[in-house]
Amino acid sequence: MSWQQNVKFECYERFRSPNRNAGPVEPGFYSRAAYFLARTNNMRKPVIAGNWKMYKTIAEAVDFIEKIKPVAAEAGHCEVIVGPPFTALSASAAAAKGSKVSVAAQNCHWDKEGAHTGDISTGMLRDAGCTHVIIGHSERRHDCGETDEQVNKKVKAALAAGLAPIFCVGETLAERESSETEKVLERQFVGGLAGLTPGDFSRIMIAYEPVWAIGTGRTATPEMAADAHRFLRGLARRQFGEQEANGVRILYGGSVKPDNVGALMAQEEIDGALVGGASLKVDSFRALVNYPRG
Ligand code: PEP
């Protein structure tokens, strides 16, 4: 019997059948039971999210969404999110309205309004119809010098505007090779989420995206990704408590493709995928949404 089957059996035996006084439980039973029930009760419904970066015109974005709407409608097992560029947000949200496709922006400013040429506020994103916003993507951290402090201000602004942040963290290759992965993840997690309450935290998703795996074709092995997710969940437990840690969805990102998504999603710790390149074509995004399930 796998541990999942074992826990299911034990839960049934102890809580639903007349055999309620069935002796002492194995060590770790209750935490495994909580984890299992969280998963089966869909507290952590998987998420497949596409980050379209600087690709797609308005017409291309709308056409894509029209084609993916029936796919999302059939995909009761996961949430489907697309992240068009700013110019296509409004039209994308209009196309997605009433469907199971949600629309995420790829960045935001923390101020409500002001003299910030080229920036977009969280209120404007809401106005455009977004429900989510990607914050702290490594391309912004590295191309635009975004700091943990700025990421933190963006997360707070997004929450205040009623948007769900998809908060990205991840180490560079040099950091992994010098065994600094956990140190970097901890710095980004603690800095990026400083000052949040457990209630705030329950509204965010985390995306673990090792920088060396983004757009490179080099994917973290499912075990490597799961280790990092476990570490992040431990940080969540320390900072926000057991319930929030068990509930937070941690997506993996970094060269996820139709042929590797199944192995990644088979890991209990991996609650979804944030996908760049392979989210741009309808066929490949459809295959990601319909990832192989046990
Ligand atoms: C990303 O942009 O978040 C990403 C993970 O890109 P890719 O899937 O292309 O590696």
Side-chain angles (χ1 to χ4, degrees):
M1 227 193 271
S2 70
W3 72 263
Q4 289 97 330
Q5 287 166 322
N6 201 1
V7 166
K8 196 173 179 182
F9 177 75
E10 281 275 344
C11 286
Y12 178 78
E13 281 289 296
R14 286 172 189 283
F15 305 124
R16 308 227 173 118
S17 79
N19 186 16
R20 282 171 202 228
N21 299 317
V25 293
E26 275 177 41
F29 168 76
Y30 286 112
S31 64
R32 289 203 309 278
Y35 187 89
F36 173 78
L37 290 171
R39 192 82 172 187
T40 48
N41 286 344
N42 265 351
M43 261 176 68
R44 300 215 314 253
K45 188 166 186 174
V47 180
I48 300 295
N51 172 14
W52 290 349
K53 311 194 185 193
M54 203 168 69
Y55 292 98
K56 293 196 189 297
T57 61
I58 297 173
E60 287 165 349
V62 168
D63 181 57
F64 186 109
I65 289 170
E66 291 301 345
K67 290 186 173 131
I68 217 72
K69 278 197 302 196
V71 178
E74 302 250 298
H77 61 282
C78 70
E79 283 179 27
V80 177
I81 305 174
V82 293
F86 283 134
T87 47
L89 284 177
S90 196
S92 296
K97 198 166 180 184
S99 80
K100 291 222 172 137
V101 178
S102 302
V103 175
Q106 300 172 21
N107 183 32
C108 62
H109 196 277
W110 52 86
D111 277 349
K112 282 202 173 116
E113 56 185 10
H116 301 296
T117 303
D119 275 313
I120 308 280
S121 74
T122 52
M124 291 167 182
L125 297 180
R126 283 282 292 190
D127 190 38
C130 295
T131 48
H132 297 71
V133 55
I134 299 170
I135 297 178
H137 191 280
S138 72
E139 284 154 14
R140 296 211 56 84
R141 290 180 189 262
H142 297 282
D143 296 356
C144 310
E146 211 165 275
T147 64
D148 292 325
E149 198 189 348
Q150 290 171 334
V151 168
N152 182 237
K153 291 201 270 187
K154 292 181 183 200
V155 168
K156 287 176 174 161
L159 289 168
L163 292 165
I166 303 174
F167 165 65
C168 303
V169 294
E171 80 288 358
T172 62
L173 186 58
E175 288 161 345
R176 176 161 280 268
E177 287 178 345
S178 52
S179 306
E180 288 187 346
T181 299
E182 293 191 350
K183 187 171 127 199
V184 171
L185 295 183
E186 182 165 3
R187 193 203 70 226
Q188 293 175 337
F189 184 97
V190 172
L193 303 181
L196 263 61
T197 64
D200 293 333
F201 183 70
S202 69
R203 293 166 53 206
I204 76 164
M205 292 178 202
I206 298 172
Y208 168 60
E209 300 208 302
V211 180
W212 48 271
I214 298 182
T216 58
R218 214 180 136 179
T219 324
T221 63
E223 292 75 21
M224 274 160 106
D227 280 348
H229 286 214
R230 211 168 287 116
F231 178 72
L232 288 163
R233 206 175 296 286
L235 295 177
R237 187 168 294 115
R238 187 182 78 189
Q239 197 156 327
F240 300 106
E242 185 71 29
Q243 193 181 325
E244 278 68 25
N246 286 338
V248 68
R249 286 172 298 176
I250 308 181
L251 321 189
Y252 167 76
S255 298
V256 178
K257 308 243 171 339
D259 61 6
N260 60 22
V261 67
L264 288 158
M265 292 300 293
Q267 294 284 329
E268 290 291 327
E269 271 298 339
I270 300 182
D271 305 313
L274 178 57
V275 188
S279 74
L280 290 169
K281 295 246 160 59
V282 172
D283 284 350
S284 137
F285 194 63
R286 181 189 296 115
L288 291 169
V289 169
N290 290 322
Y291 61 85
R293 301 181 296 286

